[in-house]
């Protein structure tokens, strides 16, 4: 079943976006996570598999886990063996705190929010890239596969 809850926001102004139209735009993927390293590992795997060679991106894993689960979350991030995937241990707890801090730490002009129980489809990056090249677009969603 496909669902479109993945949200992509542009941090750039329309004039800045017009300047980069027609070329690749950097993107940050923010993944709030809490106590579920197995689902996180699947989510990260789908991102690494779906990646576009022409699109520069980073992934911020915003870790709200209890201390007992933090080591497993850190290990799931390390298992990606990709320097673009970063673990951020949070002191503030909650989904919105994770998203807000992820935006603050992001380096990309586009920020995407993906939950740890979602899997990206192979053409996801290209779809977002095509949408966000249009200076009139400020928000895009989906598709992705939820894994409940």
């Amino acid at each position: 079943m496909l669902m479109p809850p993945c949200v992509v926001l542009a941090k750039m102004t329309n004039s800045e976006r017009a300047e980069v139209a027609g070329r690749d735009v950097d993107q940050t993927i923010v993944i709030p996570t809490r106590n579920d390293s197995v689902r996180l590992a699947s989510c990260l795997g789908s991102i690494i598999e779906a990646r576009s060679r022409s699109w520069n991106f980073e992934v911020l894993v915003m870790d709200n886990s209890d201390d007992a689960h933090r080591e497993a979350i850190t290990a799931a991030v390390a298992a990606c063996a990709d320097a673009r995937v970063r673990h951020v241990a949070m002191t503030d707890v909650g989904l919105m705190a994770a998203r807000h801090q992820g935006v603050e730490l992001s380096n990309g002009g586009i920020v995407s929010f993906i939950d740890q129980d979602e899997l990206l489809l192979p053409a996801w990056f290209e779809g977002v890239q095509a949408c966000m090249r249009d200076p009139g677009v400020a928000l895009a969603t989906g598709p992705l596969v939820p894994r409940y």
Side-chain angles (χ1 to χ4, degrees):
M1 175 171 71
L2 297 178
M3 296 181 69
C6 177
V7 177
V8 180
L9 300 174
K11 289 180 13 181
M12 297 180 284
T13 65
N14 281 341
S15 62
E16 290 170 329
R17 293 190 52 229
E19 289 177 24
V20 298
R23 66 175 189 183
D24 292 332
V25 179
D26 290 329
Q27 178 180 12
T28 300
I29 299 172
V30 176
I31 306 173
T33 189
R34 181 168 174 81
N35 299 343
D36 195 340
S37 60
V38 174
R39 286 189 177 169
L40 175 64
S42 294
C43 177
L44 291 171
S46 75
I47 293 169
I48 299 304
E49 288 177 22
R51 69 180 171 204
S52 169
R53 298 188 202 288
S54 63
W55 185 299
N56 295 321
F57 70 94
E58 68 178 344
V59 178
L60 300 178
V61 176
M62 308 306 294
D63 189 359
N64 274 300
S65 296
D66 298 327
D67 289 340
H69 296 273
R70 183 104 2 139
E71 185 176 329
I73 296 294
T74 303
V77 171
C80 286
D82 192 316
R84 295 173 292 187
V85 180
R86 297 187 341 221
H87 176 262
V88 179
M90 297 188 59
T91 54
D92 293 332
V93 177
L95 178 64
M96 294 312 295
R99 289 182 175 166
H100 286 271
Q101 188 174 355
V103 169
E104 290 173 8
L105 295 174
S106 68
N107 293 310
I110 294 172
V111 178
S112 301
F113 302 111
I114 300 173
D115 293 336
Q116 69 183 8
D117 62 355
E118 297 170 338
L119 304 175
L120 294 188
L121 297 176
W124 185 83
F125 280 105
E126 286 72 22
V128 170
Q129 188 176 17
C131 288
M132 299 310 288
R133 282 189 170 157
D134 179 345
V137 174
L139 176 74
T141 66
L144 51 85
V145 178
R147 188 172 165 247
Y148 305 119

